[in-house]
Amino acid sequence: MLIRKPYPGQILPSEITAEAVYLQRREFLEQARNVLLASWAGGLWAAPKLLAKDIDTKMFPELPGVKPHANYQSPELKKVLTRFEDIASYNNFYEFGLDKEDPKERAKNFKTRPWTIKVHGQVEKPADYLLEDFMKPHTLEDRIYRFRCVEAWSMVVPWVGFPLRAVLERAKPTSKAKFVLFKTLLDPKQMPMQKTDALPWPYQEGLRLDEAMHDLSFLVVGMYGRVLPNQNGAPLRLVVPWKYGFKSIPSKL
Ligand SMILES: Nc1nc2c(c(=O)[nH]1)N[C@H]1C(S)=C(S)[C@@H](COP(=O)(O)O)O[C@H]1N2
Ligand SMILES: [Mo]
């Protein structure tokens, strides 16, 4: 028999903020911010900031053939999912700026086509793929993951993509392969922060081969059944749900 004992420091369910309260807090923060912005702007500088409420999901075309296609509007899912507008307007994508609001404005014109993905190193089948060819063999899946940042915020996101494992199986790692290295595009003309030394560029992340081969490691091309917004790492990003967000590298593999 399994007996669950609380361990020292365990968070009791009663201590977790009720969701409704949490959501109210977000709304409150957004309203407070709008009021603040309005009063600062006060006719002096009227730089209109793009807010979550300005994001129109219809700007992002629907991806066909997603399985299973979740009904994002169902009351059950609406209750647990973070809103599209919030996921697409609170981003860590340092190539486009250090503030959460920077990427959605500055990545607007980022060019995601044509896009090449290089798979090389200790693999039997190294190749350069055009994004369309890279994706062709894969059925798009809808997977709801909780995404946690080490900064202590999290979101529940219905991603669309395919397992990283399928890609690795295609590339056939040799017996010498131990790790997978992921690299984001280096293009300071398009990614303004790459002109600074805020971080060592290009952004890189690594996984052990067994982590990369795990069923949950997911290559993402969309969310909410729609094309991935640039600020969330279009055209292709990694999502590793049991690790903090910084492992989930956008925009290139
Ligand atoms: N290339 C690149 N990848 C990155 C980052 C980044 O700044 N640049 N930030 C990481 C961090 S800290 C987080 S929390 C997630 C944020 O992804 P999201 O903005 O789509 O939620 O991307 C991760 N991958
Ligand atoms: Mo993060």
Side-chain angles (χ1 to χ4, degrees):
M1 192 172 64
L2 255 174
I3 300 171
R4 281 188 58 189
K5 288 193 207 146
Y7 49 84
Q10 182 174 18
I11 302 169
L12 297 170
S14 58
E15 290 178 75
I16 298 171
T17 312
E19 193 193 346
V21 177
Y22 171 78
L23 290 175
Q24 272 167 21
R25 177 177 157 275
R26 278 201 166 198
E27 252 162 49
F28 170 76
L29 284 175
E30 192 169 325
Q31 277 164 13
R33 216 174 71 115
N34 290 345
V35 170
L36 263 179
L37 276 174
S39 58
W40 274 337
L44 265 179
W45 53 273
K49 271 259 176 194
L50 197 61
L51 298 171
K53 66 176 174 49
D54 301 322
I55 289 186
D56 181 4
T57 54
K58 293 189 191 64
M59 290 168 0
F60 306 95
E62 277 190 42
L63 290 162
V66 182
K67 283 182 185 160
H69 214 316
N71 175 10
Y72 309 109
Q73 298 310 319
S74 74
E76 295 77 20
L77 277 190
K78 263 191 135 166
K79 229 193 309 177
V80 295
L81 296 179
T82 303
R83 294 187 312 162
F84 186 107
E85 295 84 336
D86 290 322
I87 302 166
S89 62
Y90 187 89
N91 300 105
N92 274 342
F93 200 164
Y94 289 153
E95 285 84 340
F96 292 104
L98 303 185
D99 285 345
K100 301 284 186 280
E101 282 80 20
D102 292 336
K104 72 168 172 294
E105 294 188 6
R106 298 190 191 158
K108 239 186 286 179
N109 300 317
F110 181 65
K111 260 190 88 193
T112 57
R113 296 292 187 287
W115 194 271
T116 314
I117 291 136
K118 286 176 190 286
V119 181
H120 56 113
Q122 287 297 338
V123 288
E124 283 173 30
K125 296 194 171 157
D128 287 8
Y129 300 92
L130 257 187
L131 180 67
E132 290 72 16
D133 300 329
F134 184 76
M135 286 175 59
K136 212 176 278 165
H138 304 286
T139 311
L140 294 182
E141 293 174 39
D142 193 340
R143 291 194 186 177
I144 297 172
Y145 286 165
R146 181 175 289 276
F147 186 91
R148 292 175 197 281
C149 177
V150 68
E151 299 161 345
W153 52 266
S154 79
M155 300 189 179
V156 180
V157 187
W159 300 112
V160 174
F162 45 92
L164 173 62
R165 177 158 75 190
V167 170
L168 295 174
E169 281 170 354
R170 189 152 43 119
K172 296 199 186 333
T174 68
S175 56
K176 284 190 191 151
K178 292 202 171 73
F179 304 96
V180 186
L181 174 68
F182 303 87
K183 274 191 204 181
T184 299
L185 176 70
L186 184 64
D187 185 354
K189 279 211 186 93
Q190 289 206 80
M191 296 170 145
M193 288 304 285
Q194 288 182 339
K195 291 187 189 128
T196 75
D197 57 8
L199 282 184
W201 311 108
Y203 192 102
Q204 302 193 17
E205 268 301 340
L207 291 176
R208 290 196 320 264
L209 188 57
D210 63 299
E211 294 172 326
M213 292 292 274
H214 194 285
D215 273 339
L216 294 177
S217 296
F218 204 46
L219 282 176
V220 162
V221 295
M223 66 174 192
Y224 272 93
R226 293 175 184 276
V227 163
L228 194 65
N230 288 349
Q231 57 268 40
N232 291 93
L236 182 75
R237 67 150 332 142
L238 177 69
V239 174
V240 193
W242 72 95
K243 295 197 183 255
Y244 282 128
F246 61 79
K247 283 282 183 194
S248 295
I249 178 169
S251 292
K252 194 137 194 187
L253 166 81

